Amino acid sequence: MRKVFLLLAFSVAMLIPAFGQGPLAARKVDNEFVQQQFGREFTLLPEVGAVFGDLDGDGVEDVAIAARCKNPMLDQAEHKYTVIDPYYDFFGYGDPKVTTTFTEPDPVLRGLVVLIIHGAAGPDGWRSATPKAKYVIVHLPYRTISVRKMNLKKKTIEAIYVEEAGDTGDSSALFFDGKKFRYVPMGGSMQ
């Protein structure tokens, strides 16, 4: 009996690593992946990390990654991503060629970006060598990010919810309207 129990325990111990290779293991985002997809100017913020969801509504998982970058415009052509500024666009002027030259007075917020990869159809999705689209969102003053459902014009979509940095603790959302990402202030805290 004891031999059977030991054999069973050994078999289970050998199978545990195989179960770790499933979808959650495929979701791993590290600094090497970020720099491969967006360039050496970008650094992953591990304390905030990455969130997953179908941000463009095509049925394929997408990823939003918290990162920092000094010059997001630099590697745009080489790594085939688009720099956008939905935050300043909401307030009237969101041309990233201009807004990326603004200096952020708060050092905690300086250089914060959200990297978004829309997954391509197929088994690799957002990990594909040629994803559907890549975006660098600048000037979004976040402390944390998460993906949640949002009602938009009688339709439920997935959006990136943001707990904004600063004393107010306000929250906001970033959603894809089918053409571009839009910023919407939500008011109070998400907690």
Side-chain angles (χ1 to χ4, degrees), residues 1 5 13 34 40 54 64 81 96-98 102 105 118 124 136 145 152-153 155 157 162 166 173 178:
M1 182 70 170
F5 177 73
V34 167
R40 295 272 173 225
D54 183 12
Y81 60 78
K97 291 176 191 152
V98 176
F102 296 171
H118 287 297
D124 291 336
V136 174
I145 59 174
L152 180 69
K153 298 181 183 176
K155 188 173 154 185
I157 62 170
V162 175

Side-chain angles (χ1 to χ4, degrees), residues 29-77:
V29 175
D30 58 15
N31 205 49
E32 182 180 335
F33 174 79
V34 167
Q35 292 182 351
Q36 177 187 34
Q37 290 290 325
F38 292 92
R40 295 272 173 225
E41 291 288 311
F42 295 88
T43 306
L44 174 72
L45 289 177
E47 63 273 12
V48 181
V51 293
F52 308 89
D54 183 12
L55 300 174
D56 60 353
D58 66 354
V60 178
E61 185 178 67
D62 306 316
V63 63
I65 306 164
R68 208 172 275 287
C69 179
K70 290 182 182 173
N71 186 355
M73 305 296 279
L74 188 63
D75 291 328
Q76 192 171 205

Side-chain angles (χ1 to χ4, degrees), residues 48 51 55 64-66 86-87 109 112-116 137-150 158-166 168-175 181-191:
V48 181
V51 293
L55 300 174
I65 306 164
Y87 181 79
L109 299 177
L112 281 183
V113 294
V114 175
L115 310 174
I116 297 175
I137 310 289
V138 296
H139 293 119
L140 191 62
Y142 64 86
R143 179 178 304 146
T144 64
I145 59 174
S146 61
V147 172
R148 298 182 186 186
K149 298 212 181 286
M150 173 182 187
E158 290 190 20
I160 300 170
Y161 277 76
V162 175
E163 181 183 340
E164 293 188 3
T168 63
D170 287 345
S171 62
S172 57
L174 191 66
F175 68 93
F181 279 93
R182 296 194 179 271
Y183 168 87
V184 176
M186 304 294 281
S189 173
M190 295 191 310
Q191 296 180 19

